[in-house]
Amino acid sequence: MTGPPIVPPSTRIPPTTWVEPMSDEDILRRLAGRLRELSERDANLSLRKRWYEHNALRESQPMVLCLPQGAWSEIPIDLQCTDPLYRAWEHQLHKALYQHEQIADDQPIQATFNIDWQRSIGDFGVDIPRTYGDNRGSYIWDPPLKNLPDDLDRLHRRSLSVDRVATENNLQRAQAVFGDLLHVRVRGMLWWTTGMTGDVIHLIGVEQMMLLMFDQPQTLHRLMAFLRDEMLHVIEWYEQQGLLTAHNENDHVGSGGLGYTHELRGGDGPVKLADQWGFAESQETVRISPALFDEFVLPYQLPLMDKFGLNCYGCCEPLDHRIDSILRHVPRLRRVSVATHANQALMAEKLGGRCVFSRKADPVPVCVEFNERAIRSDVRTTLDAAAGQPLEIILKDTH
């Protein structure tokens, strides 16, 4: 009798090993543990100290941020959680780790996990239908206010609500999963903008806004006054409801930069608007004269910015022709955007080290057709213009 054929060792099939899949909780804990480990490294702690010095206008070395923003959907991240909420948290943790380990810019990492308030803001009483292009492209809309000034009577304050039970449930779930690894907390609202001119063009259209300055100036003043009072109502409601927390650490503020500062009250829990960074811009009015900006825009923004402890101004609009008025009137101004097409030498002269020179690097040679020579030239121009000033170089709009 002959036995079974002898199989050479190199061709033998190993026995199947069954590996138990990780639970959603285990997946989150593994990521949270990695985040905590990185946050405690000396290099990361040193980076946080540099941001404090930077926002105090004492840091001479430029800070650099590269923000994927809408491009996160283009970055392959293998999500494994099955629970929808855990999957969103998994993505949140992955992004923090990717920013720190792969992009490796000057964004520090903290052993914290923020839960958003479950809140909603209604409309102004009119519907603004939007038609979007493909692949997150641009959109068009039909401004609802066409019969001015009579249509202004259709506007009303936006409805505001917060679901504290849902927020608390999310907080407790996160604490149960990785509260021993990370400081889990509810983190109050970051203000994108109190600029209001974005709301104006959605309500009446860009061309109509420009024409009203000459044809019906009082109508535009009336609309801006309504939006100012309505925005004031919104931000004070957040304060009264205890939904604010001081944005004095690893918080993105304004149109770029981080909020690390000892000048705003620390700690969690309800705080005042004066404990936050404020922000305004007016990209939609970039082509109007300084006189029209001083008449129709800035006076309505100032009462809002006066509520905040420190302020940022500007986004993608060059501020060359209006910077004098901004520097003269905006209270506690600490960060000024120097847009891609701004006159950097002029802006550096005007700022003179009194505010953070927040340079928005040109994303086109990075994202459209990579052009290293153009990138280096853009950065060199910034370094030469802002030499000796508190400077941050921010690459955003990378989608």
Side-chain angles (χ1 to χ4, degrees), residues 332-377:
R332 299 171 295 283
L333 183 63
R334 184 59 57 88
R335 174 174 272 105
V336 173
S337 178
V338 182
T340 297
H341 301 294
N343 182 329
Q344 297 189 72
L346 174 64
M347 290 295 291
E349 176 186 351
K350 296 292 185 180
L351 295 183
R354 292 181 290 168
C355 302
V356 173
F357 188 106
S358 184
R359 170 63 177 169
K360 306 308 188 297
D362 187 355
V364 172
V366 179
C367 305
V368 177
E369 183 176 348
F370 190 82
N371 185 331
E372 183 174 343
R373 178 177 295 180
I375 296 168
R376 289 184 176 276
S377 176

Side-chain angles (χ1 to χ4, degrees), residues 3-271:
I6 298 175
V7 180
S10 60
T11 62
R12 292 174 184 169
I13 301 175
T16 301
T17 301
W18 183 79
V19 178
E20 182 179 0
M22 294 180 66
S23 67
D24 284 2
E25 290 81 1
D26 288 338
I27 292 169
L28 292 175
R29 289 187 59 81
R30 181 185 61 183
L31 294 172
R34 177 62 175 163
L35 191 148
R36 183 187 180 105
E37 174 195 347
L38 292 172
S39 73
E40 295 172 346
R41 293 185 175 181
D42 290 342
N44 186 67
L45 297 176
S46 176
L47 193 55
R48 292 173 60 183
K49 292 179 181 178
R50 285 183 55 206
W51 275 104
Y52 281 113
E53 293 294 299
H54 175 69
N55 284 326
L57 309 180
R58 292 192 295 262
E59 173 65 34
S60 59
Q61 182 178 346
M63 309 300 290
V64 178
L65 292 178
C66 176
L67 309 177
Q69 296 176 311
W72 278 115
S73 62
E74 303 171 23
I75 298 175
I77 295 178
D78 182 22
L79 299 179
Q80 301 177 37
C81 288
T82 56
D83 181 279
L85 181 60
Y86 287 167
R87 194 174 179 85
W89 291 352
E90 180 189 7
H91 198 209
Q92 185 175 333
L93 292 168
H94 266 300
K95 288 194 294 185
L97 293 169
Y98 189 96
Q99 183 91 33
H100 190 78
E101 296 181 298
Q102 303 299 321
I103 296 177
D105 59 358
D106 289 334
Q107 172 96 46
I109 199 165
Q110 288 192 182
T112 56
F113 189 83
N114 297 330
I115 299 294
D116 293 331
W117 282 107
Q118 297 298 299
R119 53 186 169 77
S120 64
I121 301 180
D123 58 37
F124 293 109
V126 292
D127 184 42
I128 306 175
R130 294 171 171 84
T131 303
Y132 289 85
D134 296 331
N135 299 320
R136 297 173 293 129
S138 60
Y139 64 87
I140 59 174
W141 73 97
D142 184 22
L145 306 186
K146 303 180 187 303
N147 181 27
L148 296 171
D150 294 345
D151 273 356
L152 295 184
D153 293 331
R154 299 168 59 190
L155 301 178
H156 60 60
R157 287 180 174 178
R158 290 171 288 184
S159 60
L160 306 166
S161 65
V162 57
D163 190 334
R164 298 180 186 275
V165 173
T167 302
E168 180 64 24
N169 288 340
N170 289 344
L171 177 65
Q172 290 182 5
R173 288 184 67 179
Q175 288 174 332
V177 174
F178 44 67
D180 58 326
L181 297 171
L182 303 178
H183 179 200
V184 180
R185 60 195 180 173
V186 177
R187 195 71 171 152
M189 180 180 181
L190 290 171
W191 301 109
W192 158 237
T193 181
T194 54
M196 297 176 288
T197 51
D199 292 326
V200 172
I201 68 165
H202 284 117
L203 290 169
I204 66 175
V206 179
E207 292 185 11
Q208 181 75 317
M209 177 182 66
M210 301 296 182
L211 293 172
L212 285 180
M213 295 180 189
F214 298 95
D215 296 340
Q216 297 184 47
Q218 292 308 311
T219 297
L220 186 55
H221 278 300
R222 183 179 158 195
L223 176 57
M224 290 300 297
F226 165 81
L227 292 172
R228 175 202 61 207
D229 295 343
E230 199 278 338
M231 178 60 75
L232 186 62
H233 164 70
V234 170
I235 64 177
E236 289 183 339
W237 180 85
Y238 274 92
E239 182 180 79
Q240 294 160 3
Q241 294 292 315
L243 307 182
L244 304 179
T245 44
H247 297 133
N248 54 4
E249 46 182 85
N250 200 18
D251 308 293
H252 285 280
V253 296
S255 61
L258 299 178
Y260 285 102
T261 180
H262 296 299
E263 298 175 54
L264 300 176
R265 195 180 88 178
D268 294 323
V271 296

